[in-house]
Each structure stands twice: as C-alpha cells, then as structure tokens.
Amino acid sequence: MNALRRVIDPYLLMLIGTVVLASLVPARGGAAEVAEGVATAAVALLFFLYGARLSPGAIWAGLSHWRLQGMVLAATFLLFPLLGLAVFWVSRSWLAEDLRIGLFYLCLLPSTVQSSIAFTSIARGNVPAALCAASVSNLAGVVITPLLVMLLLPVGKVGVSLSSIEAIALQILAPFVAGQAVRRWIGPWLVRHGRLTSAVDRGSILLVVYAAFSAGVVSGVWSRVSHLDLAVVVLLDVGILALALAVTTLASRRLGFAREDEIAIVFCGSKKSMASGLPMAAILFAGQSVSLIVIPLMLFHQIQLFACAVLARRYAREGEVR
C-alpha cells in the first residue's frame, strides 16, 4: 500500500491543486498566452527526452515481435475506438455533449510511455517490448488520433485539418526525432537520471491542465457541468478500462502469448496518454470547451494508475510462486 500511495496520491493531489488554482487564479489575457506557450514548450521538452532515452536497438528488437506490437496497436486504435463510439451514442440523451466528446476522444488516444513501462517492469513482463510498443503507439498517434477524430466524430464537432496534424507533429514528433539525433551524447546520462524525465512528464501535464482549465474558468464552462455528470463520467471511465483490461488479457491468452508478453500487451494496450492527449486536445478542439472535453481523460488517467498498480502487484505475486 505504501508503494501504491507513492505512485498515485501525491500526483493526484497536485492535479487537484492545479485545477483549484486555475479556478481561483485563472490566467487571463497575456498571462494566458504565456501559460499556453510554457505548456507547449514543456510538452516538446518531454518528447525530446523520450527520444533521447530510447535506444534504436530497443526499437528494432521490439518491432521484431510483430504479433505483440500488432495486439497493442489493435487494442489502442481499434478496440478502444469501438468502445468510445458505443459510449458516445449510448449516452447522447443523458450526458453533456462536451463530456461525451471527451469520453470518445480519450478512446482515440495512444498509449502511455512512462507508466506502461513502469507497470510492466513491476509485473515482471517483457519490458523491451513494452518500451517499443508504447513509443510506437505515441508516434503513430500523432497521425492516427486526429484522423480517427475526424472520421468518427460527427461533422462540425472538431477542426481537424492538415495544419492541425502538422501542429501536433511539430509539438510531439519533431522533438522526439531531435532527441534521437542527439541520443549518443546525452542518452546514457538521461538513463542514469530517470527522475528528470519523470519530473518533466508530470510537470508538463500540470502546466497543460492549468492552461486548459484557466481558459474554461474565464469562458464560464463550469456552470454547464453537474456533479451527477462527473459521477457518470467516472462510472463510464471505469467500465471502458475494465473492458479493455478483460479483452487484452483474454485475447493474449487465447492467442498463446507468453506470460511476459501478455503483461506487456495488457499494460500497453489498456492505457491512454494524458501527456499526448492534453496538447492534442488544445489543437483539435480549438475554440471549444477544451477544459470540459479533457475531464474524462484526466479522470481516466487516475483510474488507470490505480487499477494497473493493483494489477501489476498481483502479476508480480503470481510470478513469485511459479
């Protein structure tokens, strides 16, 4: 339980504190532009560090396990979108539209990088394959997520265009490529100082959350969401995650994957990235109630951390008795 609290509680409190801060002291006017600029720079730095830490050898080793990579991509960009589409239409008569869009949007996002690898390691799974799967998912999501949003959300809800995909690529993909280019010089140092990447990961999310919620407070969007709506979103988030975990686990076993590979598939295939999702939402849903649209993603992020921490410990205990 102490390990679980170290993973979840402090960061959850920081996220809540950031929302409270944005509610009480929102960034306005020029300050809002500065906050958005700093958040954008922090996200770019994060993906630069991801690129600088990731070994090309690990990439190729992971890609060679094509069945595992295919399972993760299918779960991320096929299973989840189908779940999101079902939730979007089923909830159309009893949930605020922006929250419905948010639930659908989180299902179109790539997997996480940091926590997918961390939980795979705790559970004694195939870490190199998880590293590759999570990284490939994030890079593919730069293009796949906007396209899925454009194809599956009703016309007129989002402004997906070539320019929006280019903006996402510049913020996420370009820094990653730059990090790969300088990896030989700074990569080993970053591997030895993993806390730096973790700090930038969490800090960039807090900055994006503050900028998004500040904009929401200034525009008055909070008057349009009720406590009941939030409770419904939590229940739907839990249901989506539970189905994803069940399907990835059962499919891995039915297809004969080794236990270590199953663990990587379950943790990489059931997670959604807030580090990628928040900045992409700011671009894809520009001019809309972004602060409401990202609420399902923020809640899902905490729910998946809790659920996967418990699941990773269970996998580890089962591995000890084998």
Side-chain angles (χ1 to χ4, degrees), residues 20-100:
V20 172
L21 178 63
S23 300
L24 298 176
V25 190
R28 302 173 184 270
E33 295 180 1
V34 172
E36 291 177 2
V38 172
T40 298
V43 171
L45 175 60
L46 173 63
F47 281 89
F48 172 82
L49 295 178
Y50 281 162
R53 281 172 56 91
L54 186 58
S55 165
I59 295 176
W60 290 114
L63 286 175
S64 65
H65 200 336
W66 61 269
R67 291 180 69 239
L68 185 150
Q69 304 302 327
M71 279 286 293
V72 172
L73 289 175
T76 303
F77 296 117
L78 181 59
L79 171 63
F80 262 104
L82 291 175
L83 294 175
L85 190 60
V87 169
F88 181 80
W89 288 109
V90 167
S91 62
R92 64 185 181 275
S93 61
W94 41 272
L95 191 63
E97 184 176 35
D98 288 329
L99 295 177
R100 290 173 56 230

Side-chain angles (χ1 to χ4, degrees), residues 72-81 84 101-112 134 137-142 144-146 148-149 168 172 268-282 284-285 293-294 296-298 300-301 304:
V72 172
L73 289 175
T76 303
F77 296 117
L78 181 59
L79 171 63
F80 262 104
I101 292 174
L103 284 163
F104 184 86
Y105 172 67
L106 83 84
C107 291
L108 306 182
L109 290 171
S111 179
T112 62
S137 175
N138 265 261
L139 297 179
V142 171
I144 295 176
T145 294
L148 288 176
V149 170
I168 293 169
I172 295 176
C268 293
S270 64
K271 309 281 281 301
K272 291 297 177 180
S273 173
M274 195 157 68
S276 298
L278 291 179
M280 278 200 274
L284 294 174
F285 302 101
I293 291 173
V294 300
L297 172 59
M298 291 179 59
F300 188 87
H301 178 80
Q304 73 182 5

Side-chain angles (χ1 to χ4, degrees), residues 307-322:
C308 289
V310 173
L311 185 59
R313 292 296 179 186
R314 193 183 76 179
Y315 269 122
R317 287 195 300 269
E318 291 175 352
E320 290 173 357
V321 300
R322 283 175 173 264

